[in-house]
Amino acid sequence: MSFDLRMAELNKRIKEANKIVFFGGAGVSTASGIPDFRSKDGLYNTKDAQFEKYTPEYLLSASCLYQHPKVFYEFYRQKLDCRDIEPNITHYKLAEMEAKGKLSSVITQNIDGLHQKAGSKKVYEIHGTTLVNYCTWCHEYFDDDHIFTSSEPIPRCECGGMVRPDVTLYEEMLPQKEWEAANTEVMDCDLLIVAGTSLTVYPANSLLNLVRDMDKLVLINRDETGWENKAGLVFHEDMTEVFSRIEV
């Protein structure tokens, strides 16, 4: 089916749906200048020489945070500072869909806060966010500037505790409240739009197993995911091209 015909079908499904849920990954933010993780140009394949002896998974793990915190924070500050990044057309289109009552919620694996910056209100961040930090001792909360502007190699609270990002690292459990809400949203929706994710990260990818009718699954991703034969509608075109043509 041609791109034009698939777009017409997508817009038809959006018009007819009563509860649409969007589930996105790192590819949603690449048009804003944030590299994804697993593509050939992604974060996992473009490490700097100073981090060469560590795997990407380790650099973003709880083990690295607590065993080699100076390494963790150096990598985090270099690669995950999203404070000056602006949303792209995908973020804005989703916010518009929500404002017009067509989109129930956004479930995101991203930690950049761009959905909220674009105007989305109901966002479930199942991998946490860089916008919030907290002390590992007293649990006082700090804004996103605290880690990125701190002159200390390891950012500290006044109580002496280490201040860490409220991000779900490797080896950590997903935030329970967000995860349970995401499960409920997917189970109750009649159209699930999945975009910008390789669908290789567990347990986030298990959300697709909750879709009651796979014909109601729309998959938008540049590369193959392994779910193409199950989805009702598939796009491997550029995401911004797809979302620029969505009619609300």
Side-chain angles (χ1 to χ4, degrees):
M1 190 186 300
S2 71
F3 178 56
D4 286 343
L5 288 176
R6 280 178 288 130
M7 280 306 311
E9 178 63 22
L10 175 57
N11 281 314
K12 177 176 178 289
R13 293 184 181 211
I14 290 173
K15 182 178 180 180
E16 294 175 349
N18 293 311
K19 183 174 182 178
I20 303 171
V21 170
F22 177 84
F23 172 44
V28 174
S29 295
T30 54
S32 292
I34 299 176
D36 64 9
F37 286 86
R38 300 175 192 281
S39 71
K40 67 177 182 178
D41 300 317
L43 189 62
Y44 283 7
N45 296 311
T46 55
K47 288 187 299 178
D48 296 335
Q50 69 190 103
F51 303 116
E52 197 61 42
K53 66 179 180 179
Y54 305 102
T55 65
E57 288 81 4
Y58 181 75
L59 288 166
L60 292 173
S61 70
S63 292
C64 185
L65 173 63
Y66 292 107
Q67 295 172 2
H68 298 97
K70 290 183 179 180
V71 173
F72 174 87
Y73 284 107
E74 182 65 25
F75 184 80
Y76 183 85
R77 285 169 170 140
Q78 283 191 31
K79 304 296 186 181
L80 297 177
D81 186 354
C82 304
R83 291 174 297 164
D84 295 328
I85 303 296
E86 293 300 323
N88 60 61
I89 189 170
T90 300
H91 299 104
Y92 286 119
K93 181 63 71 171
L94 290 167
E96 180 188 359
M97 290 171 66
E98 181 186 33
K100 293 185 176 180
K102 292 304 298 182
L103 184 72
S104 173
S105 64
V106 168
I107 302 168
T108 181
Q109 299 175 79
N110 295 339
I111 57 178
D112 50 42
L114 292 182
H115 285 293
Q116 294 93 325
K117 201 170 187 178
S120 290
K121 305 299 183 185
K122 194 174 178 183
V123 182
Y124 298 108
E125 297 170 304
I126 60 174
H127 288 165
T129 176
T130 62
L131 302 184
V132 177
N133 305 288
Y134 64 92
C135 174
T136 55
W137 287 2
C138 72
H139 297 285
E140 181 178 349
Y141 281 88
F142 299 84
D143 64 19
D144 53 339
D145 287 331
H146 187 83
I147 288 178
F148 293 116
T149 62
S150 173
S151 60
E152 299 175 312
I154 302 172
R156 297 287 181 184
C157 174
E158 288 185 0
C159 75
M162 180 174 67
V163 175
R164 61 158 290 175
D166 193 12
V167 170
T168 306
L169 303 173
Y170 284 99
E171 305 164 347
E172 294 182 328
M173 299 290 290
L174 300 188
Q176 184 176 4
K177 183 178 179 181
E178 302 279 311
W179 179 242
E180 290 178 354
N183 277 256
T184 299
E185 286 291 302
V186 172
M187 285 189 290
D188 291 345
C189 76
D190 58 5
L191 184 65
L192 177 65
I193 301 175
V194 178
T197 172
S198 61
L199 295 173
T200 59
V201 176
Y202 182 84
N205 59 3
S206 67
L207 285 173
L208 272 67
N209 294 322
L210 302 176
V211 178
R212 297 177 179 179
D213 180 359
M214 282 296 173
D215 187 56
K216 303 299 184 181
L217 171 62
V218 177
L219 184 61
I220 306 169
N221 197 59
R222 183 178 62 182
D223 302 320
E224 296 280 336
T225 66
W227 286 81
E228 280 74 13
N229 291 334
K230 299 178 181 179
L233 199 55
V234 176
F235 295 85
H236 287 307
E237 287 80 7
D238 183 90
M239 194 184 312
T240 59
E241 188 175 359
V242 175
F243 275 85
S244 67
R245 295 179 58 176
I246 286 179
E247 301 168 359
V248 184

